Structures are given as structure tokens and as C-alpha cells.
Amino acid sequence: MADQLLKQAQDLFEGQIDFEGQKLTELFSTVILAVTGLLAFGLGFMQQNIWTTLWIGLGGTALTFLVVVPPYPIYNENPENWLRPNSGIAGAGIEVDGKKIN
């Protein structure tokens, strides 16, 4: 039972995401930061208030953190199938263009 809980905690805190998830988080962070940056600048300029700009920018940064940092399941929908090691010999059993490499 303790091993199961430890495994769940480890999976939660490791934060593994796949390559497609990495691209998705990069897109989310770029879009959220760009939109909130433009919004912060526009509203701060219209009100002539630097604090408005700073607080909206800080809120956008916090929102980006909440969207991007936790390893949500949507970020691990395309896991990679890695090759299993079968021996200590480098290149054992690998074929390139129909030729075996030893």
C-alpha cells in the first residue's frame, strides 16, 4: 500500500510530459504572455498608471505559471515508445537499410 502511494506521489511530482506536450506548453505560454502583455500595456497607457500595467503583467505571469507548470494529463497524450535495451553490446540487432550493424 505504501509503495502504491509512493508511486502515485512520484508520478505526480516528476512532471513527465511528452514532446507534443512541450510544444503545447510553449504555445500556451507565448500566447498568454503576449496577450496579457498587450492588455497590460494598453490599459496602463490609457489610464496613465504604471501600477495597472505591472499588476496585469503579474497576473498574466501567474496565470501562465498555473497553466504551464503543473503536469496536466493533456501534456502527456502522446508518449514516446522507447527501444528496450537488450544487451550491453552497442548496435546489437539494429538494421539500417536492410543491413545489420554489429
Side-chain angles (χ1 to χ4, degrees):
M1 172 126 167
D3 289 337
Q4 269 185 334
L5 291 174
L6 184 61
K7 176 74 171 144
Q8 289 175 352
Q10 184 180 10
D11 289 343
L12 179 66
F13 290 116
E14 274 186 358
Q16 294 182 357
I17 63 173
D18 57 26
F19 295 121
E20 295 299 320
Q22 290 176 7
K23 287 198 296 191
L24 192 60
T25 57
E26 182 181 2
L27 175 68
F28 286 162
S29 64
T30 302
V31 169
I32 293 170
L33 288 174
V35 168
T36 57
L38 290 171
L39 183 69
F41 176 77
L43 289 175
F45 184 76
M46 286 191 306
Q47 293 181 357
Q48 292 293 301
N49 188 348
I50 190 70
W51 290 109
T52 302
T53 304
L54 292 174
W55 280 108
I56 293 174
L58 181 64
T61 303
L63 177 65
T64 303
F65 179 84
L66 291 174
V67 169
V68 172
V69 171
Y72 297 117
I74 191 174
Y75 299 146
N76 201 15
E77 290 182 346
N78 303 305
E80 293 292 324
N81 294 323
W82 300 100
L83 294 176
R84 295 186 185 274
N86 55 0
S87 70
I89 301 171
I94 296 177
E95 287 188 29
V96 176
D97 295 329
K99 297 178 185 175
K100 259 205 184 289
I101 297 175
N102 292 328

